[in-house]
Amino acid sequence: MPDIDAPLWILLAHGLVLLLSVAALIGTLLPLLRAEAWWIRVFDFPRLQIVGLALLTLAGGLVLEWHKLPDYWGIGLLLALAAAVVYQLVRIVPYTPLASKQVGDSTELDNDGRHLSLAVMNVLQFNKKGKEALAELERIDPDIIMAVETDKWWLEQLRPLEKTHPYTCHEPLDNTYGLLFFSRLPVRDCHIKYLLDDDVPSLHTHVQLPDGKTWIRLYGLHPKPPAPQEAKTSTKRDAELLLVGKEIEKKDEPTVVFGDMNDVAWSHTSELFRRISGLMDPRVGRGLLPTFHADYSLLRWPLDHVFVSPDFKVDDIQRLNYVGSDHFPIYIKLSYEPHDKHIQKENAEQADAEDHEEAAEKIKDGFQEEREEELEEAAGADQKKELTT
């Protein structure tokens, strides 16, 4: 411990750095738990911020000469902080240009018949900058558009897109989980499904490429995040992702999954989803492209995603301009190149028996939690009815 006769500001500095060091270590250790409580899973998100905090406190500890403190506790804490930085960077580096690209760059840039562009936009339901959002979508002009957190007001704001994107499948809701789907390309078997929550829709469809013969399976998702005002656990979010992953695993067809997943790419669940589904993340080797929170540059992480089967390569991927939402939209242009599918598969992560067992357990837990919530709601409704009568 520092000398109690040291100046007050020195004692305060030691206390502050110690407090921040403990926070950085807790933020690193908690996500290692497989518990699904929201206050644990929330630490999956700010890995980059935890790196910054750990580096700051590590520097503070060196300035305060913790390595000279007795009983080696200072050295131990410095080593623990260094280990936390290394661990967090190991999780983050794959999503930077320092890593190899998991999904290759397109080699057929002039083959427009096999290109597909998509945009995902979480509009923030209470955001009223509809003209700005529409202008941004018209500027980038993707083949496929999915807007989430969309109610009937937002449907009217974005309805002009139907002139250029006549194939639609809408489910506007006033609970922040509505979705709007616009396509320039022909669509078949377009369904809105409620996989777990009876108030959280998802999109399931096929889209035909411009070549007029290739059909792509498309999923649009927006599960609830683990947050006290939304869901007390990540159980149903994880189960919804894995339900889709299991369905994809059974089908050998070109597939794209996109949306606001309310999960970061480096989380255990996202990685499990990719292994189960066989899909790949275009961010790997290209950059974080953090989409949330748009209003706070120091508190951002990637929540909006596009996952693709090995049939695809990437022409372009970018974060779009601010449209008044707490999310930035994200855009990707894909090239369908199935002749390289076997090469791309080598970059895909493979699921083992333990992964399949874990996925099955998470899906089971998701349905169980939904049943328990339905029973609680029914019991609450009965009690309210008794009180009113």
Side-chain angles (χ1 to χ4, degrees), residues 189-205:
D189 302 327
C190 192
H191 300 287
I192 299 294
K193 297 183 179 181
Y194 291 80
L195 296 176
L196 279 169
D197 284 286
D198 58 8
D199 56 352
V200 178
S202 56
L203 177 83
H204 304 247
T205 190

Side-chain angles (χ1 to χ4, degrees), residues 300-311:
R300 287 181 182 167
W301 37 78
L303 286 191
D304 304 87
H305 304 280
V306 181
F307 300 115
V308 302
S309 61
D311 310 87

Side-chain angles (χ1 to χ4, degrees), residues 111-144:
N111 186 3
D112 290 335
R114 291 191 167 192
H115 285 176
L116 176 71
S117 56
L118 308 95
V120 184
M121 178 182 285
N122 182 320
V123 301
L124 183 62
Q125 182 175 304
F126 308 107
N127 166 32
K128 296 304 179 184
K129 294 186 177 181
K131 291 182 180 179
E132 288 86 342
L134 177 62
E136 182 66 1
L137 291 171
E138 290 178 334
R139 180 189 69 83
I140 202 72
D141 193 29
D143 298 319
I144 303 293

Side-chain angles (χ1 to χ4, degrees), residues 281-384:
D281 189 347
R283 271 192 174 97
V284 173
R286 289 189 170 85
L288 291 175
L289 296 176
T291 56
F292 177 92
H293 194 292
D295 295 322
Y296 306 107
S297 57
L298 295 179
L299 292 174
R300 287 181 182 167
W301 37 78
L303 286 191
D304 304 87
H305 304 280
V306 181
F307 300 115
V308 302
S309 61
D311 310 87
F312 296 98
K313 292 186 177 181
V314 175
D315 280 347
D316 185 23
I317 182 170
Q318 57 181 283
R319 190 179 68 186
L320 302 182
N321 295 322
Y322 178 72
V323 294
S325 172
D326 52 354
H327 288 245
F328 289 103
I330 191 167
Y331 166 87
I332 189 168
K333 186 177 182 182
L334 300 168
S335 175
Y336 178 61
E337 300 180 22
H339 52 276
D340 284 343
K341 180 177 180 179
H342 63 288
I343 299 175
Q344 296 256 97
K345 271 189 172 181
E346 295 178 2
N347 297 328
E349 302 159 70
Q350 304 297 319
D352 56 22
E354 185 176 340
D355 288 331
H356 286 287
E357 182 178 347
E358 182 181 358
E361 188 65 28
K362 282 180 173 290
I363 291 170
K364 178 182 176 182
D365 290 344
F367 280 109
Q368 178 63 31
E369 184 169 293
E370 175 62 14
R371 283 193 293 270
E372 290 173 357
E373 290 179 0
E374 288 176 350
L375 290 173
E376 288 179 5
E377 290 177 5
D382 290 342
Q383 186 177 14
K384 183 178 180 180

